[in-house]
């Protein structure tokens, strides 16, 4: 059956990623997994939005970022409760196959990863938001913020809190939500003559 094959593949990929360890690697992944570590970056993004876009456009973009974050977080919680897919750290088979955990287990259900959704949602929404400044292309920022989001997403697999599939679906969900809210912000900016 296809679902059994996909589940088996997801478990194997998760264990392969989770099993990659290097000196100081666990501390790095714990850092990216810790929401408190995100705060300085997100505050810097907000400050630069206001510096680059002015207060009116920046406020519209900030609202789109907050909506993205809230939508990803709440939708993830809803899907977790509906799907009831156990996190790998609660799965006895995964533990017996050598799953490495880096933090407390947390809630029982993990599909899909809110960390991944939030990180990728903020990445795409802020990248598009900065592009409301027609004087710069923000390529370097784009590279930086998407690598950041990828590191956050992968940290959840390394921590043993999510399967790779949880992170993949979370990332795609975040990209979709962030894109939609960023386009809404762009529409508001264009229609209101703030550009």
């Amino acid at each position: 059956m296809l679902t059994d094959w996909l589940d088996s593949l997801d478990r194997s990929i998760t264990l392969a990623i989770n099993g990659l360890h290097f000196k100081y690697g666990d501390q790095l992944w714990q850092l990216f997994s810790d929401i408190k570590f995100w705060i300085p970056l997100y505050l810097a993004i907000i400050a630069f939005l206001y510096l680059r876009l002015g207060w009116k456009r920046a406020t519209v973009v900030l609202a789109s970022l907050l909506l993205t974050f809230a939508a990803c977080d709440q939708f993830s919680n809803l899907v977790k409760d509906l799907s009831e897919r156990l996190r790998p750290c609660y799965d006895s088979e995964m533990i017996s196959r050598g799953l490495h955990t880096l933090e407390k287990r947390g809630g029982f259900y993990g599909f899909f990863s809110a960390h991944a959704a939030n990180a990728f949602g903020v990445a795409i929404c802020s990248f598009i938001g900065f592009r409301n400044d027609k004087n710069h292309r923000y390529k370097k920022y784009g590279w930086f913020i998407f690598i950041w989001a990828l590191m956050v997403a992968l940290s959840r697999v390394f921590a043993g809190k999510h399967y790779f599939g949880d992170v993949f679906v979370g990332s795609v969900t975040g990209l979709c939500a962030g894109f939609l809210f960023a386009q809404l912000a762009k529409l508001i900016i264009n229609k209101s003559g703030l550009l």
Side-chain angles (χ1 to χ4, degrees), residues 2-122:
L2 180 61
T3 54
D4 292 338
W5 179 80
L6 286 172
D7 183 60
S8 176
L9 180 64
D10 194 14
R11 289 169 179 270
S12 297
I13 292 171
T14 300
L15 287 168
I17 293 170
N18 179 266
L20 298 172
H21 296 285
F22 57 92
K23 191 174 183 181
Y24 307 117
D26 287 354
Q27 292 89 343
L28 175 73
W29 296 119
Q30 283 177 301
L31 199 60
F32 274 98
S33 202
D34 186 355
I35 292 175
K36 291 187 293 290
F37 180 62
W38 306 4
I39 294 171
L41 173 66
Y42 288 170
L43 290 175
I45 290 170
I46 293 167
F48 278 106
L49 279 171
Y50 279 89
L51 283 171
R52 294 293 192 168
L53 302 180
W55 76 270
K56 289 180 181 177
R57 286 183 293 170
T59 300
V60 174
V61 173
L62 177 58
S64 71
L65 285 166
L66 293 173
L67 286 168
T68 297
F69 202 92
C72 289
D73 206 55
Q74 293 310 303
F75 187 53
S76 171
N77 289 334
L78 176 67
V79 173
K80 282 175 185 171
D81 290 339
L82 290 173
S83 69
E84 295 185 343
R85 183 183 191 198
L86 285 178
R87 293 180 186 271
C89 56
Y90 284 106
D91 188 321
S92 56
E93 179 195 338
M94 292 296 285
I95 293 166
S96 70
R97 290 176 65 185
L99 182 78
H100 183 69
T101 57
L102 299 178
E103 53 189 63
K104 292 179 184 175
R105 296 192 292 181
F108 285 110
Y109 307 126
F111 183 79
F112 57 88
S113 169
H115 275 68
N118 289 330
F120 273 96
V122 167

Side-chain angles (χ1 to χ4, degrees), residues 123 127 137-148:
F127 178 66
R137 296 196 44 88
Y138 295 96
K139 279 186 181 179
K140 288 180 184 173
Y141 173 76
W143 278 104
F144 168 77
I145 200 65
F146 284 106
I147 289 170
W148 170 277

Side-chain angles (χ1 to χ4, degrees), residues 110-161:
F111 183 79
F112 57 88
S113 169
H115 275 68
N118 289 330
F120 273 96
V122 167
I124 188 85
C125 191
S126 63
F127 178 66
I128 294 170
F130 272 118
R131 304 278 305 260
N132 286 298
D133 169 13
K134 299 301 182 189
N135 297 321
H136 300 90
R137 296 196 44 88
Y138 295 96
K139 279 186 181 179
K140 288 180 184 173
Y141 173 76
W143 278 104
F144 168 77
I145 200 65
F146 284 106
I147 289 170
W148 170 277
L150 180 63
M151 295 291 282
V152 168
L154 287 176
S155 76
R156 306 306 286 160
V157 179
F158 279 100
K161 296 290 286 279

